[in-house]
Amino acid sequence: MAAIQTTLIWIAYAVAVVILMAVASIFVYTYQKPGDRSAIVSTVAIITLTSLLATVLLLPVDIALVSSTTSLRHGRKKDWATPDRVHHMLLTLKIVYYTLFSWDALLCLIVAPFTYFLYEEQEEGDEEQTVGSKLWGALKYTIAFVFLVIILFLVGFFVPVVAQKPGGHLDLDYFKNLLTENRGERALTFSIGLLVAIGTVLYVLYTAPGFALFPISLIKSAPGISAPTLAATTASALEANRERQRQLEARNMGHEDGMAPKDRRELDMLLREERTLVRRERLAAEARGDGEGRLMKIWTKIEAVFRPVKLLGGLFLLLVAILLWVSMLLTGIDKAKYSICKSKCGYILGHINIWSPINLIFLQSSKVFPVDYVLVTLLVLFFFFSSVVGIASIGIRFLWVRLFQIRKGHSSPQALLMAVVMLALISLAINYSLVTMVAPQYATFGAQMYCTQEPRGPDEQPDCGDREEFILPCSELANSTAAANVCTPSFASTFFNRVTLNYPYFGAFNFWAQFGFLALFIVVFVTALIRTPRLDEDQLDADAEEAEEEGLLASTGRRFGATWQDITGRASGNRHHVQPTAPPSYNVQTPYEDEED
């Protein structure tokens, strides 16, 4: 039975990784510029995103495995969960985690920069340049990152960790186990701790605004006219526009004084409207997926199917975001007030004093696998897409200087690689936040409980099957023999608590940065409710043009018909029922009609 349960847990993880790879592929192909795609850039981006998200989603597997060793009803270890089998399970998790962490660091610090420089060499190099010379050119620039990784591990190898002092809470077995003595683990712990700290900065600057903007963007974007209908009406209007221009030019041909003032004003108006119609034509082509691969066309159809529920989905995600904000705030207050050693150990919380709603939801769902796994997967995807929205809204910047802009169908390969590295670092920060702020009790012990009654015999376990009042949830401060024999912390919580305890400056920085996340979320949320924030004038103009075009899609009464047309890819035969904000009619009388030519 135990083997079957363990196998099902790992199968669920494999299915989740496949879903994550599909999500990463859709992200890459959606945001990459169609005419400027690179196979190696796309491959590296997809692998990097999949690896980082797979690392985050290892958390519910970790929790499910350690929780499966205990009986919730009796508060004791199951018969098959011998110390050797539990140790083997934790060793397997440790190997998987360390492999993924090392692979993630390699992708972010070596593979992604090498791919970036290789693409630059291919774009800027001579046509006569050989493949070997391009690889060598990229490798020369990547050597600096190799030295950076070596220095990072050397610093982690020799940097001093917090000293273990006699007395106090560090004498508890749980905290003693966090003080690592293995120098190899210490180097990896320091390196990941530094990357998490860097990712936390990006997490605050990009994920917090995206957390507020993502649900609101779903609520505000509800198109009501289909792409085929938009293309048909735009083509008709564009043809009429150009025909009117030809008429004006033909009528004034041969005039010595040139074009009449009235005709000149009308022609200028027609030229402005022509530019708008051309933009609309491009928008319709992009909405139909013209020039895209089969994957993007399928994604376009899926978007059309789920378009009617966008508004409801946005409202639901907005409620989830507010619930997460409240939960993180309560956990932050709990840590700041009741942490056993405050900043000296990175605000590790020995026992939950203020219960948060998200923590309770995950604890209850963890009793029935894979309910909690589905919820964590959806939560991770919510954080991920919020980060994408944040990066797309703000752009890739150095201080106030914008380096790249991330937009659907307009992102260069260089911009995409930088965005992927940023998302990789943000994913590490999301992993830390899930373990320490969003649901700390769930992430540490899951639903594990232990019995406080004395065992009936020396070789027997305590059994509280008939006395539920003696069954208590596991916690770090539980210092009894029964708790030590029953409670098994997840490896993820052990690893991140080890980072904060051995290097408390990382823990203190990451902890207080969470309050920066909460504050920035409130600022952007309130701002977005009043108006959509704009970041610069160029972006304002571009967004205004697109808003004008997408204003064609804003009629609520036609949304379901437009959805069906987008799915089938055909415009409705009754075009006169579709009344977009087309250009004004060309034979409408103007204020200058009464003037003499």
Side-chain angles (χ1 to χ4, degrees), residues 481-537:
T481 304
N485 293 332
V486 176
C487 299
T488 304
S490 66
F491 183 81
S493 65
T494 302
F495 180 83
F496 284 108
N497 284 333
R498 179 175 293 161
V499 171
T500 58
L501 184 60
N502 284 283
Y503 309 104
Y505 38 85
F506 286 153
F509 173 79
N510 294 334
F511 171 70
W512 290 110
Q514 306 299 316
F515 288 95
F517 175 94
L518 298 175
L520 190 56
F521 169 82
I522 285 295
V523 172
V524 176
F525 177 69
V526 173
T527 305
L529 287 180
I530 301 173
R531 66 179 180 87
T532 304
R534 304 299 183 195
L535 300 171
D536 57 48
E537 293 300 324

Side-chain angles (χ1 to χ4, degrees), residues 2 52 171 183 280 287 310 353 435 451 462 465 496 545:
L52 266 297
D171 284 341
R183 286 189 175 270
R280 291 176 182 174
K310 253 188 174 184
N353 300 279
V435 172
C451 178
F496 284 108
E545 292 173 357

